Amino acid sequence: MSERGFFHYPQQRICHRRALGPACIIASCDARSPWHKPWRLARQALLWTIGNMPRGLRDIIYISRTQLAVMQPYLPPHARLHYLPNPVAWDPEVERVRAEDNEVFLFVGRLSPEKGAVDFARAAREG
């Protein structure tokens, strides 16, 4: 599942196809170009065979229930799952930070369409 973004890049929307199933393989959805997808498929075939992935995985860390739900169909049944909660917790007793009063905005993440950097920039401009 390496670099599997579950995202249809040309259409800029979430992809709900089964990863590397027939519908996925024929979809023209690669982030770089349609011609890059055969390379990704070949690399994935090597991971499945020589790399023993994902069936060779024994321990897997997940950070959210959503992440687990998305990846679980692809995980080996014998793998031990370990939940690593987000270290930032919301406390209803703490007064809300008035983010709308901020003058500085910071985006932390990979600058790729599915991460929402453009939406963040638009919101910051309008704010």
Side-chain angles (χ1 to χ4, degrees), residues 3 18 44 67 69 72 92 94 103 111 115 117 119 121-122:
E3 291 187 24
R18 173 148 177 91
Q44 191 62 44
Q67 181 192 43
Q72 198 152 28
V94 175
E103 294 179 13
L111 295 177
K115 296 297 182 179
D119 293 334
R122 285 186 186 125

Side-chain angles (χ1 to χ4, degrees), residues 1-5 20 40 43-44 47:
M1 290 175 307
S2 67
E3 291 187 24
R4 176 67 179 132
L20 300 175
R40 293 187 199 274
R43 184 178 59 196
Q44 191 62 44
L47 282 172

